[in-house]
Amino acid sequence: MRLGMISKFPPEQDGIAIYTESLCMHLELQGVEVVRIGPNTQYPIKFSSSFIKEALNKIIEKEGLDLLHIQYIAPYYGKKTLNLGLIRALKLKIPVVVTLHEVQQDTKRGLKDRILKRIEHAVIKRASKVIVHTKSQASFIKSAYGKQAQCIYMGVEVKRNARKSRNLLFFGLISPGKGVDLLLETMRLLPEFNLTVAGRLGDGVPQEYLEKIKRLADLGNVTTEFEWISDIKKDELFKNNAILVLPYRWAPYQSAVLHDGVSYGLPIVATRVGGIWEVVHDFGMGVVVDPDDAKQLAKGIKTTFLKYETFRRGIEEYRGVANCGAMAKNTIAVYQQVIPS
């Protein structure tokens, strides 16, 4: 089987790039020949181009590909062009599998989300097969668009088991949607805990928000590192902290950071938004709380500390079904459904 994988790849400072490279490596371990297509590859095509279909056809011919697999979030493929080049490219002479890293289940936020949902519908309609990362996302796609989607967990590599302590970690892009400001306000209710906030300002987020975060972080129990975090530093952060906190206000995606936490054995406190909370709840890996509620978030953190070993057992269960080998095996099964026999 020869596969064309379309995505960003390392050293891009992008969580999907890291996820995709891991998937490619494990697919190759199971015998799939992978041709990487995108930035930092031999085929650095422009995702937002109106002629992406023609570019892909040339690669298909040259490499003798059996199918394509697209790692999809709308901003990759042109904000101004509304992804029209990609939508056109979904009709090729070989099957095209699409992994949706965002699913627009909530359109209450306004016009932008309604537009994203229309684009999402067009992508889903034309894809040979759709992959998502949570069962609720798969159910939503079935009910909203009438198309069957396959839930495949993101993939976990076991790196260590965290030791119980009162050290909390927020890791990832800094933005209002991630609720970093709320978490810092919550730390005033948790003087017995220590928090590390690590990550760079999100693309398009005003510098004023980072200045606000710096003011809120002026506490004795908060440490900050506002930059893109290297793999070496990331390893150090996850090893030195015990509880991962995801206080998001908006998250139409599953979280690569959540899976980093699982890799290191950190129980998780997550808000009930988007797709991030579902596996935390279903596998008993931590506490789920309502968004934008500092008192509830503080209570969730305290509960996670008290029930630490219970949640660690839930993490072990999830590791068993969401390991990277299983992720690759389940992805290959999807490929086999769409490749002509």
Side-chain angles (χ1 to χ4, degrees), residues 31 41 51 66 76 80 90-91 93 99 112 139 154 156 161 177 211 217 228 232 243 266 281 288 300 305 319 331 341:
T41 73
F51 301 101
D66 297 306
Y76 276 11
K80 294 181 180 179
L90 287 170
K91 289 299 182 182
K93 60 184 178 181
T99 293
K112 177 183 176 181
S139 296
M154 286 192 78
V156 174
N161 286 319
E211 297 306 316
W228 176 258
I232 294 173
I243 297 171
L266 277 67
H281 173 269
V288 177
F305 178 77
R319 283 172 165 179
T331 303
S341 56

Side-chain angles (χ1 to χ4, degrees), residues 100-209:
L100 295 177
H101 288 277
E102 294 183 354
V103 177
Q104 306 302 323
Q105 294 173 260
D106 180 9
T107 56
K108 296 178 181 178
R109 286 164 55 92
L111 179 61
K112 177 183 176 181
D113 287 345
R114 290 196 292 274
I115 292 172
L116 286 172
K117 189 169 184 179
R118 283 183 173 271
I119 296 171
E120 176 180 275
H121 189 188
V123 170
I124 290 169
K125 180 180 178 181
R126 289 164 176 79
S128 304
K129 196 71 177 179
V130 172
I131 294 172
V132 292
H133 296 307
T134 77
K135 292 179 180 178
S136 66
Q137 288 174 336
S139 296
F140 172 79
I141 288 172
K142 178 65 174 177
S143 62
Y145 306 124
K147 186 152 186 172
Q148 193 74 36
Q150 181 69 41
C151 172
I152 300 177
Y153 297 127
M154 286 192 78
V156 174
E157 293 189 30
V158 178
K159 297 188 176 179
R160 78 185 297 270
N161 286 319
R163 296 177 181 175
K164 182 179 179 180
S165 74
R166 296 180 186 272
N167 294 334
L168 313 176
L169 176 65
F170 174 93
F171 184 89
L173 296 177
I174 307 297
S175 72
K178 296 291 183 72
V180 189
D181 53 315
L182 175 74
L183 176 56
L184 291 170
E185 290 170 359
T186 302
M187 290 308 296
R188 299 178 186 278
L189 306 175
L190 298 168
E192 71 276 30
F193 286 85
N194 300 301
L195 169 67
T196 297
V197 176
R200 67 175 177 84
L201 189 67
D203 295 337
V205 178
Q207 184 69 27
E208 289 78 9
Y209 183 72

